[in-house]
C-alpha cells in the first residue's frame, strides 16, 4: 500500500526542518534551568521549576489542544481566522484562571513575580503557535524552522544577559519582551500575507473548534497537573533546593519526546489520511513498529547510562549534582514510557479518538497524584519518578487497548465488506 500524499511528498525535508526548529527552540527553552543552577544555585532553580510547571497548567488552558486539532483539519472545516479567534478567547480564559489560582498557592513574592512573567511568555507562545500551525497547513516548514530558531535564540540570549546583570525575576520578565517583536514582525506577516490565508473568523464556528479541542486540552492539562504536583510534593516534603537538583536531572525525561515530537507532529495529518482511507492494516503495522523502536531505544539508553551517566552529569550540571545521580536511571526509564504515550497519543489524535485519549490521560494523572506522596516518603525523590512511571504505564495500556480495539473492529467490518 502507498502512503498518503502528505507522507511521501517531501516528507523527509519537512521532518528535518520541523525537527530542527522545534529542537532548537525547546533546547533554548529548557537550558535556562541549567544556566540558573550554574549561576544562581539550586534554590533559584527550584523556584524557576516550580513557577514553570505551575504556569504550564494555564498555558495548556490557553492552547486548549487546538494545535493538534488544527493540523489534523486536512479538509479545512474552519478558517484560519476562526482558529486565531478561538486562541484569543482561550488565552483570556487562561489568564483569568491563573490570576485566581495564584492567590491560593502560598508562593513567596519572588516566585509570584516569576509566575506572572512566565505566564505572559507562555501566552505569547500560544498565540504564536496558532500562526505556525497555519504555516504547517501550507507545508512551509522552512519558515517555521526559522521562526523557532530566531525566537528561541533571542529569548535565551536576552534571558542570560538579564540574569547576569539582575536577579531571576527580572531575567524572566525579559523573556516575553524578547519574544514579542519576533512574533509581531516575523510570524504574523509571514502568515497574513499568504494568498491562501483566510482571515475571516466565523463566530459560530469558534465553539465547534473548542468542543473537540476541549478533550485534548483536558488531556494535556492532566499531564501538566501531574508534573507540577510531583514537584510540589518534593518542595513541601523536603526543600526548594532539593527540588532544584531534582528538576535539573529530570529535564532529561523530555529528551526522547523532544527529539521525536516534531516527526510525530508532521506524521499526524498522514495518519489521519490512513485512517480516512481505511488503510487500517498499515496503521496497525506502523503502531507496532513504533512501539518496538521505543522499547529498544529506552533499553539501550537506560543500560548505557551506567557507563556515561556520572561523566555527563558532572560535565553538564557540575560536581554538586553527583549526590543526586541516583535519579538518572529512573528518569531515563520514565522518558521512554512518556515517549510511548506520545506515540500512542498521536495515533489516537489522528483517529479522532479524543474521548479515549482523555480517559487515559486522566487515569494516569490520578494514579500519579494518589501514589506520589507515599512513594516520595518511601523512596525519597525517586518516589516522584516512580509515580510517573506507574502513571505512564496505566495511561499507555489504556491508549494501546483503545487503538488496537478500534483498528481491529473496523478492519474486521472492512474485510467482511470486501
Amino acid at each position: 500500500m502507498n502512503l498518503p500524499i502528505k507522507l511521501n511528498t517531501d516528507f523527509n525535508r519537512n521532518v528535518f526542518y520541523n525537527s530542527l526548529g522545534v529542537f532548537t527552540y525547546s533546547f533554548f527553552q529548557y537550558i535556562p534551568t541549567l544556566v540558573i543552577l550554574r549561576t544562581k544555585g539550586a534554590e533559584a532553580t527550584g523556584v524557576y521549576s516550580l513557577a514553570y510547571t505551575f504556569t504550564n497548567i494555564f498555558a495548556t488552558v490557553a492552547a486548549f489542544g487546538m494545535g493538534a486539532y488544527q493540523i489534523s483539519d486536512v479538509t479545512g472545516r474552519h478558517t484560519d481566522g476562526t482558529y486565531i479567534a478561538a486562541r484569543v478567547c482561550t488565552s483570556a480564559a487562561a489568564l483569568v484562571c491563573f490570576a485566581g489560582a495564584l492567590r491560593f498557592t502560598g508562593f513567596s513574592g519572588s516566585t509570584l513575580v516569576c509566575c506572572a512573567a512566565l505566564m505572559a511568555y507562555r501566552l505569547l507562545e500560544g498565540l504564536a503557535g496558532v500562526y505556525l500551525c497555519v504555516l504547517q497547513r501550507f507545508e512551509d516548514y522552512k519558515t517555521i524552522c526559522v521562526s523557532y530558531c530566531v525566537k528561541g535564540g533571542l529569548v535565551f540570549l536576552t534571558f542570560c544577559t538579564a540574569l547576569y546583570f539582575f536577579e531571576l525575576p527580572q531575567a524572566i520578565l525579559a523573556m516575553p519582551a524578547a519574544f514579542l517583536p519576533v512574533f509581531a514582525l516575523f510570524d504574523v506577516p509571514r502568515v497574513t500575507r499568504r494568498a491562501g490565508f483566510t482571515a475571516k473568523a466565523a463566530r459560530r464556528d469558534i465553539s465547534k473548534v473548542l468542543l473537540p479541542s476541549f478533550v485534548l486540552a483536558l488531556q494535556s492539562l492532566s499531564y501538566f497537573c501531574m508534573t507540577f504536583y510531583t514537584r510540589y510534593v518534593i518542595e513541601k516534603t523536603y526543600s526548594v533546593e532539593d527540588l532544584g537538583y531534582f528538576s535539573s536531572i529530570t529535564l532529561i525525561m523530555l529528551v526522547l519526546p523532544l527529539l521525536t515530537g516534531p516527526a510525530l507532529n508532521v506524521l499526524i495529518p498522514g495518519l489521519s489520511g490512513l485512517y480516512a482511507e481505511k488503510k487500517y492494516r498499515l496503521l496497525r503495522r506502523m503502531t507496532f513498529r513504533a512501539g518496538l523502536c521505543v522499547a529498544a531505544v529506552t533499553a539501550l539508553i537506560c543500560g548505557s547510562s551506567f557507563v556515561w551517566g556520572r561523566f555527563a552529569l558532572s560535565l553538564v550540571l557540575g560536581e554538586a549534582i553527583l549526590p543526586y545521580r541516583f535519579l538518572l536511571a529512573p528518569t531515563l526509564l520514565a522518558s521512554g514510557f512518556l515517549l510511548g504515550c506520545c506515540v500512542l497519543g498521536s495515533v489516537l489524535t489522528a483517529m479522532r479518538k479524543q474521548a479515549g485519549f482523555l480517559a487515559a490521560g486522566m487515569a494516569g494523572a490520578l494514579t500519579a497524584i494518589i501514589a506520589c506522596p507515599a512513594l516520595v516518603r518511601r523512596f525519597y525523590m525517586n518516589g516522584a519518578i516512580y509515580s510517573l512511571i506507574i502513571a505512564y504505564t496505566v495511561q499507555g495500556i489504556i491508549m494501546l487497548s483503545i487503538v488496537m480495539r478500534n483498528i481491529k473492529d473496523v478492519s474486521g467490518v472492512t474485510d467482511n465488506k470486501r
Side-chain angles (χ1 to χ4, degrees):
M1 292 183 181
N2 294 323
L3 293 177
I5 188 69
K6 283 188 178 294
L7 285 180
N8 53 40
T9 300
D10 297 325
F11 175 72
N12 292 332
R13 185 188 65 185
N14 290 343
V15 169
F16 170 76
Y17 280 128
N18 201 44
S19 298
L20 177 61
V22 173
F23 178 79
T24 301
Y25 184 77
S26 299
F27 173 80
F28 285 127
Q29 188 177 41
Y30 293 119
I31 200 68
T33 300
L34 308 183
V35 174
I36 297 169
L37 180 65
R38 287 286 193 148
T39 59
K40 300 296 183 180
E43 186 171 347
T45 305
V47 170
Y48 180 81
S49 174
L50 199 62
Y52 194 88
T53 53
F54 180 70
T55 54
N56 269 340
I57 298 173
F58 304 97
T60 302
V61 176
F64 217 73
M66 282 189 291
Y69 184 80
Q70 185 179 357
I71 62 175
S72 65
D73 184 8
V74 294
T75 60
R77 289 181 296 274
H78 308 292
T79 66
D80 299 323
T82 299
Y83 283 110
I84 294 171
R87 182 62 60 88
V88 171
C89 293
T90 56
S91 297
L95 187 59
V96 172
C97 294
F98 168 77
L102 204 60
R103 301 176 57 187
F104 302 98
T105 58
F107 292 157
S108 65
S110 176
T111 306
L112 290 175
V113 175
C114 291
C115 286
L118 277 172
M119 191 63 204
Y121 176 63
R122 303 311 300 277
L123 289 178
L124 286 174
E125 274 188 319
L127 290 174
V130 72
Y131 283 87
L132 295 185
C133 285
V134 176
L135 289 176
Q136 184 169 345
R137 181 170 64 85
F138 291 115
E139 296 191 12
D140 189 359
Y141 288 94
K142 186 175 183 179
T143 301
I144 293 174
C145 178
V146 173
S147 174
Y148 274 133
C149 292
V150 172
K151 285 185 294 192
L154 182 61
V155 169
F156 177 69
L157 290 175
T158 305
F159 171 83
C160 291
T161 303
L163 191 65
Y164 179 80
F165 289 104
F166 305 102
E167 295 301 320
L168 181 61
Q170 291 85 349
I172 298 176
L173 283 169
M175 295 171 68
F179 188 96
L180 181 58
V182 183
F183 168 56
L185 301 177
F186 184 84
D187 292 346
V188 174
R190 292 301 188 283
V191 171
T192 56
R193 293 173 184 174
R194 296 266 178 176
F197 175 73
T198 52
K200 184 178 180 180
R203 292 183 180 179
R204 64 180 181 277
D205 284 348
I206 292 179
S207 60
K208 297 179 181 178
V209 171
L210 295 181
L211 287 177
S213 300
F214 179 68
V215 177
L216 295 175
L218 283 181
Q219 198 283 330
S220 298
L221 186 63
S222 66
Y223 167 75
F224 287 118
C225 285
M226 176 172 59
T227 305
F228 168 72
Y229 184 73
T230 54
R231 283 159 172 76
Y232 185 77
V233 169
I234 289 177
E235 192 266 341
K236 293 300 181 184
T237 305
Y238 301 109
S239 68
V240 69
E241 183 177 357
D242 283 329
L243 175 60
Y245 288 118
F246 174 85
S247 301
S248 299
I249 291 183
T250 52
L251 275 179
I252 301 171
M253 193 181 300
L254 303 173
V255 171
L256 289 179
L258 177 61
L259 292 175
T260 57
L264 294 175
N265 198 34
V266 175
L267 202 59
I268 287 177
L271 294 175
S272 295
L274 287 176
Y275 193 71
E277 295 174 15
K278 303 185 186 306
K279 297 181 179 179
Y280 308 117
R281 186 176 301 173
L282 179 57
L283 186 58
R284 184 167 58 245
R285 186 163 66 244
M286 291 175 65
T287 304
F288 178 73
R289 289 177 178 175
L292 287 180
C293 290
V294 169
V297 170
T298 301
L300 177 62
I301 294 178
C302 288
S304 64
S305 67
F306 294 97
V307 177
W308 55 261
R310 181 185 179 93
F311 171 76
L313 288 177
S314 61
L315 178 65
V316 177
L317 300 175
E319 294 290 333
I321 203 71
L322 292 182
Y324 298 86
R325 66 180 182 274
F326 60 85
L327 294 168
L328 180 60
T331 294
L332 293 171
L333 183 61
S335 179
F337 278 78
L338 175 58
L339 176 58
C341 290
C342 291
V343 172
L344 292 172
S346 297
V347 177
L348 286 175
T349 300
M351 294 170 60
R352 295 303 179 95
K353 300 298 180 182
Q354 290 97 338
F357 197 7
L358 172 62
M362 296 295 286
L366 185 61
T367 300
I369 291 173
I370 293 175
C372 185
L375 290 176
V376 167
R377 288 192 297 268
R378 177 66 178 82
F379 299 103
Y380 191 36
M381 289 191 288
N382 265 342
I385 304 176
Y386 295 158
S387 69
L388 292 176
I389 292 174
I390 296 172
Y392 295 146
T393 301
V394 171
Q395 182 177 346
I397 290 173
I398 295 175
M399 288 195 292
L400 182 60
S401 64
I402 294 172
V403 170
M404 293 295 104
R405 184 191 63 197
N406 280 276
I407 292 177
K408 180 179 179 181
D409 291 345
V410 180
S411 297
V413 173
T414 305
D415 291 340
N416 291 335
K417 288 183 179 180
R418 289 179 180 176

